[in-house]
Amino acid sequence: MQDVIVIGAGAAGLMAAKCLAENDISVTVLEARDRTGGRIFTVENASGISPIELGAEFIHGRKNDVWEIVRAARLLTHEVPDRHWVCTDHLTEVRGFWDRLEQVMAGIERPETDRDVLNWLNSRLNLSSNLRQMTLNFVEGFHAALASDMSLQALARANAASAREEGERAFRVERGYSEVIHWLEAHAGSHGAQVQLNAAVKTIRWEPSLVEVEADTPRGPRIWNAAHALVTVPLGVLKNRGITFDPELTDKTGALSGLEMGQVVKLTLQFRSRFWPVENFGFIHADDEWLPTWWADERGWILTGWAGGPRAQWLAQEGEEALRAEAMRALSHIFKMPEAHLYDLLVGAWRHDWSNDPFARGAYSFTRAGGIESPDHLAESVSETLFFAGEATDSRGEQGTVHAALRSGKRAAAEILEVSPSTHELRSYAH
């Protein structure tokens, strides 16, 4: 019998396993997939030179928990150019993109009663149509949220976190984000933590200080027993009842209803040669396209198209061929190139359907209007037996990020150490 069963080998689960194992807590991590990393998913492209990120790609900000691992693992990173272009009849670079957005964000008040972002935007009668559209695109694209559903207070909280962490700056891990996961897994393993892949948890039966975790494995159902369980699966899995709790967690119903899983469509295309005029251009915002945001990659002739919110919900219903055609149509319009020529240059296309992935059920979470306390409620432990981590439990304004997941893993590990009879010394992982 283990001290702790961690469910999910993403950033939160592996960080928690590392922290617990370093304190001589016996840990087994159960992962439904045949790989670790969760929504961090790096694959090689056709040339094998630059990695393709099917999930998380950027380190958002210069001051967060990801950088602790980057420094410890001595990972190479490079900063993404903070250049932004808009596409109308031609590409025009927008100076002071973040300053313009801040003009809108600075007007957010902290009312006692929350409301949705769209309602607030509609009330700003003095806001120009351009700034209104820019804010709407930011909420739907960056936060993967419906503006008619997202909490205004949560948006204000996220804006404050971005200012605190230099969030307007973005970085890539040179050899892929999975390097962060590999370092965590290696260090957790070096202290005795075990990772069991292809173990899809279906049921958690529990009573105070005892859990029985049943998972489907290639060899059939298997049961693990422990004193505690730490649940780090994505919000979408919990909302879709991908795991059954016995007895049910009725106290979590309100928290789950106050949070929602954002939808994203991300398509990465590799070409034989560059046809865009500025090699590493930063970000293009083409509001009229179904894939409205595009970025380049200095490591190869690669372009990535991105849609969040309602556009992503529509595109997610399209097949791979239709999505690729939509991407090529958008690039043809943006760069004034014949689609036939673009197809001739195309080497490969990569996408992972996170919306229909049974172990994700969406891209990342956002807080709904009226649900500002929901992340804290989701994070609360149950009977000092069941614990919860993951980016959806963040209440600092970092929801949806890798660094929020990492911090939540530290926080949950500290909570378990406080009640675990196996240790008498608590390291301050949560600070």
Side-chain angles (χ1 to χ4, degrees):
M1 177 169 153
Q2 295 285 82
D3 293 323
V4 182
I5 299 295
V6 176
I7 300 161
L14 290 175
M15 173 58 84
K18 170 185 171 294
C19 295
L20 291 168
E22 287 175 343
N23 278 276
D24 299 322
I25 300 294
S26 59
V27 182
T28 294
V29 183
L30 302 182
E31 171 54 50
R33 307 179 191 276
D34 60 0
R35 60 173 182 82
T36 57
R39 286 167 284 167
I40 294 176
F41 188 10
T42 306
V43 299
E44 287 190 355
N45 66 12
S47 66
I49 298 174
S50 53
I52 300 293
E53 302 288 9
L54 298 182
E57 180 167 349
F58 302 116
I59 304 173
H60 293 287
R62 194 66 181 86
K63 301 174 181 178
N64 59 57
D65 292 63
V66 178
W67 289 101
E68 296 177 12
I69 298 175
V70 168
R71 288 189 289 269
R74 299 181 179 180
L75 301 178
L76 295 177
T77 63
H78 64 260
E79 187 164 3
V80 180
D82 187 21
R83 301 180 68 181
H84 297 264
W85 309 72
V86 294
C87 177
T88 51
D89 292 333
H90 58 278
L91 284 174
T92 303
E93 187 167 9
V94 178
R95 304 291 183 180
F97 177 84
W98 295 109
D99 291 338
R100 294 181 66 188
L101 195 59
E102 180 57 28
Q103 292 177 29
V104 184
M105 298 298 183
I108 297 178
E109 298 175 355
R110 287 296 192 96
E112 291 184 6
T113 58
D114 198 6
R115 55 175 166 166
D116 65 76
V117 174
L118 184 61
N119 178 282
W120 174 75
L121 278 174
N122 289 339
S123 72
R124 297 289 305 278
L125 300 179
N126 61 338
L127 198 63
S128 71
S129 59
N130 285 341
L131 280 177
R132 183 187 183 280
Q133 190 62 45
M134 177 183 288
T135 306
L136 188 62
N137 292 342
F138 177 73
V139 170
E140 294 179 348
F142 189 83
H143 292 285
L146 299 176
S148 59
D149 202 13
M150 184 177 182
S151 159
L152 182 62
Q153 288 188 6
L155 181 61
R157 184 182 282 177
N159 189 50
S162 178
R164 184 174 66 240
E165 300 165 356
E166 299 180 24
E168 73 280 0
R169 301 175 67 184
F171 304 80
R172 287 189 185 93
V173 180
E174 184 69 26
R175 295 177 59 186
Y177 224 141
S178 289
E179 292 293 297
V180 170
I181 294 299
H182 297 158
W183 186 88
L184 280 173
E185 184 178 3
H187 278 256
S190 70
H191 288 87
Q194 302 176 20
V195 177
Q196 177 70 53
L197 300 177
N198 298 304
V201 172
K202 296 301 180 182
T203 305
I204 300 176
R205 303 178 186 90
W206 65 278
E207 59 186 70
S209 301
L210 181 64
V211 295
E212 181 182 272
V213 180
E214 182 176 345
D216 287 343
T217 75
R219 295 186 177 183
R222 182 178 169 185
I223 290 176
W224 283 263
N225 294 292
H228 311 285
L230 170 56
V231 180
T232 73
V233 298
L235 172 71
V237 175
L238 295 176
K239 288 181 71 74
N240 283 275
R241 297 182 176 272
I243 297 176
T244 298
F245 293 87
D246 183 12
E248 292 187 13
L249 302 181
T250 54
D251 289 347
K252 298 295 182 184
T253 302
L256 293 175
S257 65
L259 298 167
E260 193 53 78
M261 203 67 169
Q263 304 301 321
V264 159
V265 168
K266 178 183 184 183
L267 181 66
T268 300
L269 305 173
Q270 183 184 5
F271 298 92
R272 302 183 197 282
S273 61
R274 174 168 66 91
F275 56 83
W276 45 101
V278 178
E279 182 173 348
N280 193 11
F281 54 74
F283 299 89
I284 291 173
H285 308 277
D287 296 343
D288 293 336
E289 307 298 338
W290 281 102
L291 281 165
T293 305
W294 290 86
W295 59 79
D297 191 325
E298 68 178 24
R299 298 167 296 184
W301 307 137
I302 292 171
L303 296 178
T304 296
W306 174 279
R311 282 187 249 211
Q313 290 181 341
W314 183 84
L315 286 172
Q317 303 174 41
E318 297 295 300
E320 298 299 319
E321 186 175 341
L323 180 59
R324 190 178 311 170
E326 183 60 42
M328 300 300 265
R329 190 197 63 77
L331 290 176
S332 174
H333 176 249
I334 292 169
F335 295 110
K336 305 298 185 286
M337 299 283 293
E339 287 186 43
H341 181 55
L342 296 179
Y343 275 105
D344 287 340
L345 293 177
L346 185 65
V347 174
W350 291 264
R351 176 207 176 199
H352 185 80
D353 186 357
W354 296 104
S355 298
N356 292 312
D357 184 325
F359 308 126
R361 297 297 183 188
Y364 44 83
S365 68
F366 67 90
T367 299
R368 303 180 65 191
I372 195 64
E373 303 299 330
S374 294
D376 282 333
H377 292 329
L378 182 59
E380 291 173 354
S381 64
V382 178
S383 299
E384 297 185 342
T385 302
L386 300 180
F387 297 81
F388 297 84
E391 50 86 11
T393 66
D394 173 80
S395 59
R396 291 166 46 92
E398 300 167 351
Q399 223 174 328
T401 66
V402 174
H403 52 274
L406 293 171
R407 178 175 285 273
S408 76
K410 293 180 182 180
R411 184 259 309 153
E415 293 172 354
I416 293 171
L417 287 169
E418 286 180 345
V419 301
S420 174
S422 300
T423 182
H424 301 287
E425 180 181 352
L426 172 63
R427 299 182 184 180
S428 184
Y429 282 110
H431 302 289

